[in-house]
Each structure stands twice: as C-alpha cells, then as structure tokens.
C-alpha cells in the first residue's frame, strides 16, 4: 500500500512558477513509476508528466514540454513537478500517482495503482 500526499499548489500569475511535491509512504517507492495528472473543471483528467523508477526516463504532455520538469528523490520518497512559464490553461487540480510496474513510464490513468488527493493550481491572466 502506498499513500501519496501532494503539496505546493497555489495561485500564481501567468508566466510564474510553482513546484509541486508528492511525498510517498512505504519502503518500495523506488520501485514505482510516478506520474502527475491534472483535471480542470468540466474536463477529463489528463496525463501531465511521468518518470520511471530510476528517474532515467520521463514523458510529458506535449503542451508542457519545455515548461514542466518531473524529477524524483528516492532517498526522500518524493517526486516533484517543476512548472515554469505557467499559463491560465494550466489551471487545474493536480494529482500524483504511483504505478507498481516502474521500469517504463505509464501515461494512462488505468496503469496507475495509487492516487493522491490532489492540489489546486490556479494561474491568473
């Protein structure tokens, strides 16, 4: 069982930056692939970024490439999402997720086994 707790969300102006953190419980964090998803009001939840167990492979939503960076610190059981050059369309609740098969980077919701409660990110224009 893995519990995930997100933090770091908030209100920021367009062009600004935020860093989301996701702290995981359990001793097997280093074997999990980790991902970030987001859900805006009235829209489906979508994949934003993911990273494999070692941190050696990552994947991104096309609209976030070059602006967002996912990273992980296995010693701290934490995954991060650095978000730069934020746009109003990035406004959403951001969710952290963990996938037990960690060698690749899952991009679909049904490939993830555990989810956090979410953190709100609001980007004002």
């Amino acid at each position: 069982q893995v519990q995930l707790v997100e933090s770091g969300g908030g209100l920021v102006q367009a062009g600004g930056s935020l860093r989301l953190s996701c702290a995981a419980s359990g001793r097997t964090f280093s074997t999990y692939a980790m991902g970030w998803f987001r859900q805006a009001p009235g829209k489906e939840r979508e994949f934003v970024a993911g990273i494999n167990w070692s941190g050696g492979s990552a994947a991104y939503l096309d609209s976030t490439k070059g602006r967002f960076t996912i990273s992980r610190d296995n010693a701290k059981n934490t995954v991060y999402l650095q978000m730069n050059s934020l746009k109003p369309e990035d406004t959403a609740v951001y969710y952290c997720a963990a996938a037990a098969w960690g060698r690749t980077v899952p991009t679909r919701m049904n490939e993830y086994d555990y989810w956090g409660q979410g953190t709100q990110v609001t980007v004002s224009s």
Side-chain angles (χ1 to χ4, degrees), residues 16-122:
S17 297
L18 283 174
R19 188 176 82 155
L20 305 183
S21 299
C22 173
S25 65
R27 292 177 288 180
T28 58
F29 174 79
S30 62
T31 67
Y32 283 76
M34 300 298 295
W36 287 96
F37 288 73
R38 68 186 181 188
Q39 188 166 18
K43 295 188 177 181
E44 294 186 350
R45 193 172 299 190
E46 65 177 353
F47 173 81
V48 174
I51 190 166
N52 75 336
W53 67 275
S54 68
S57 182
Y60 296 91
L61 178 69
D62 283 348
S63 63
T64 68
K65 288 180 180 176
R67 299 189 299 122
F68 290 10
T69 302
I70 189 171
S71 61
R72 66 188 298 160
D73 185 337
N74 287 343
K76 295 182 178 180
N77 280 17
T78 303
V79 63
Y80 305 97
L81 184 67
Q82 178 67 44
M83 305 185 295
N84 299 328
S85 302
L86 282 161
K87 304 175 180 181
E89 51 264 43
D90 294 317
T91 295
V93 177
Y94 282 71
Y95 297 90
C96 174
W101 179 246
R103 295 185 66 183
T104 58
V105 182
T107 60
R108 295 190 296 266
M109 285 182 58
N110 62 6
E111 295 179 293
Y112 285 84
D113 303 289
Y114 303 100
W115 293 83
Q117 293 300 307
T119 185
Q120 176 70 46
V121 171
T122 302

